[in-house]
Amino acid sequence: MKFGARAALQLEPRNLWTVDLEPASGSILQEVYEGLSQARKQLPPKLFYDRRGAALFGAICGTQAYYPTRTENAILRRRAVEIAGEIGADSAVIEFGAGQIEKIRLLLPSLRPTIYAALDISREQLVQASSRLAQDYPWLAVIAVIGDYGSPLEAQLTLPAYARRVVFFPGSTIGNFEPEQAVGFLQRVRTLVGDKGGMLIGVDLEKPVRILDLAYNDPEGYTAAFNLNLLARLNRELGADFELAAFEHHAFYNADRSRIEMHLRSLRAQRVRIGSRAFAFAAGATIHTENSYNYTPQAFGEMARAAGFPGSRMWTDPDHLFGVFFLHS
Ligand code: AVI
């Protein structure tokens, strides 16, 4: 098994390989300086996912308020046979941001791909989850790819030519991209999978605002803790002196842009020191931490077409909260 110039390392069980595409990670300081120096302060949502952030995200996914996870899981479970029928035999599934590798398990018995490559930047979690998967499915070749799906993979991925490449991107993470970025990302996937390949992707659909408001303001407070953990992370990793009690979680639906926005709002005028710099916050000023766009099936279909996927089929739930799309040429 080879990835570009890199040989994959075989582990135990014998159907598991790992390949490391990730350079040793640098500091997040520059990104933080850049984001907080803008007129509208912002921080990239990827900074949410340190160990504690990943655990809080897991807790969010288990709440009643956060409908996307259980709704998407129900669609995958209920429609597994139809989805497998669309994808066909001998597929090589590449999951982006595979995390705990849970959702593909809903499809494996019906889909029976030849290869499953899970890509994630969190090395430890990925290797452990891949190893469990390889043990549970001895007939499947499992490849744990430590890497960032944001960086070009086209040159790195060498998979058998007969296999139909299918990128699996569940979880409505596409909604965290700006729409133009989302089209660019889908175009890259199109190049990666080639003419006979496809993409199975979860998309949050437009819906009444009260459902969205609740999902991003869960009564248990996990989303607030997830958002505020970003500041705690900057304190831990960069020695910043954010006073967490002086900021609050603020999430609301922006109807003009069809997106939920998450912010951290300063409760008073204050200065925060990070490394060698200080940043001033007026009372009520915010740091914009995330957008979660939702789409109508038509709008998402058009975006996919613009990216080179003219064919699409969608499966949804009875309330049309969430869509699982199979995109192809
Ligand atoms: C990962 N992503 C799709 C989640 C979302 O819904 O945008 C992250 C999240 N943010 C708040 N709650 C969950």
Side-chain angles (χ1 to χ4, degrees):
M1 197 80 67
K2 252 185 90 188
F3 278 76
R6 267 170 253 246
L9 200 71
Q10 176 156 29
L11 304 177
E12 279 301 321
R14 291 185 59 78
N15 58 329
L16 174 65
W17 289 262
T18 181
V19 63
D20 204 332
L21 303 178
E22 190 61 10
S25 66
S27 165
I28 57 176
L29 186 66
Q30 273 323 316
E31 263 178 310
V32 171
Y33 279 172
E34 264 165 47
L36 296 184
S37 304
Q38 318 238 346
R40 289 166 190 262
K41 290 182 172 50
Q42 54 179 273
L43 289 171
K46 67 173 183 190
L47 296 184
F48 285 137
Y49 301 94
D50 66 349
R51 191 186 281 260
R52 172 147 174 77
L56 284 166
F57 180 59
I60 292 171
C61 292
T63 63
Q64 187 56 29
Y66 192 73
Y67 61 85
T69 311
R70 72 184 129 77
T71 310
E72 183 181 50
N73 285 349
I75 297 169
L76 293 173
R77 196 174 294 117
R78 201 171 300 145
R79 303 298 192 161
V81 171
E82 284 174 40
I83 293 171
E86 285 287 334
I87 294 176
D90 288 331
S91 56
V93 174
I94 307 151
E95 180 169 351
F96 283 177
Q100 300 279 3
I101 312 191
E102 281 160 350
K103 296 190 179 183
I104 193 67
R105 287 174 178 266
L106 301 170
L107 297 178
L108 286 179
S110 312
L111 186 58
R112 294 190 72 90
T114 312
I115 293 173
Y116 169 72
L119 196 86
D120 206 287
I121 39 172
S122 169
R123 175 178 283 105
E124 202 184 325
Q125 171 180 264
L126 183 68
V127 173
Q128 282 173 6
S130 307
S131 160
R132 285 193 299 271
L133 189 81
Q135 280 168 37
D136 292 346
Y137 296 91
W139 48 263
L140 181 65
V142 177
I143 313 167
V145 186
I146 297 129
D148 182 356
Y149 60 77
S151 52
L153 292 167
E154 294 77 355
Q156 321 240 34
L157 208 58
T158 315
L159 295 171
Y162 65 82
R164 184 183 199 190
R165 291 179 175 200
V166 174
V167 165
F168 183 39
F169 196 47
S172 70
T173 304
I174 194 74
N176 297 138
F177 293 60
E178 290 306 304
E180 322 74 74
Q181 282 180 331
V183 174
F185 174 72
L186 295 178
Q187 272 165 343
R188 279 190 39 225
V189 171
R190 173 67 181 76
T191 307
L192 178 67
V193 300
D195 290 344
K196 67 177 176 134
M199 181 178 204
L200 188 67
I201 179 169
V203 180
D204 195 23
L205 300 179
E206 276 199 4
K207 61 183 55 62
V209 175
R210 66 184 160 75
I211 301 177
L212 290 164
D213 274 343
L214 186 65
Y216 290 83
N217 292 286
D218 60 286
E220 295 91 335
Y222 290 129
T223 311
F226 174 70
N227 202 4
L228 282 158
N229 176 59
L230 212 164
L231 302 184
R233 177 179 183 184
L234 303 190
N235 287 350
R236 282 193 294 271
E237 288 185 26
L238 303 177
D241 62 358
F242 280 100
E243 193 189 318
L244 298 196
F247 285 87
E248 69 178 1
H249 166 69
H250 179 47
F252 62 92
Y253 189 62
N254 177 337
D256 293 337
R257 312 288 299 270
S258 298
R259 70 188 193 196
I260 279 276
E261 295 188 11
M262 289 214 312
H263 295 252
L264 288 160
R265 185 159 55 194
S266 174
L267 294 173
R268 54 175 166 77
Q270 54 184 317
R271 282 173 81 75
V272 175
R273 179 155 291 285
I274 308 175
S276 58
R277 294 184 54 180
F279 295 90
F281 293 86
T286 75
I287 308 173
H288 190 168
T289 51
E290 186 183 66
N291 290 319
S292 302
Y293 283 85
N294 45 59
Y295 293 97
T296 62
Q298 295 70 22
F300 187 73
E302 267 162 41
M303 224 160 76
R305 254 190 304 284
F309 287 114
S312 85
R313 176 164 177 198
M314 183 191 80
W315 296 269
T316 188
D317 53 289
D319 297 320
H320 297 254
L321 298 177
F322 201 92
V324 172
F325 288 75
F326 181 61
L327 311 178
H328 55 92
S329 308

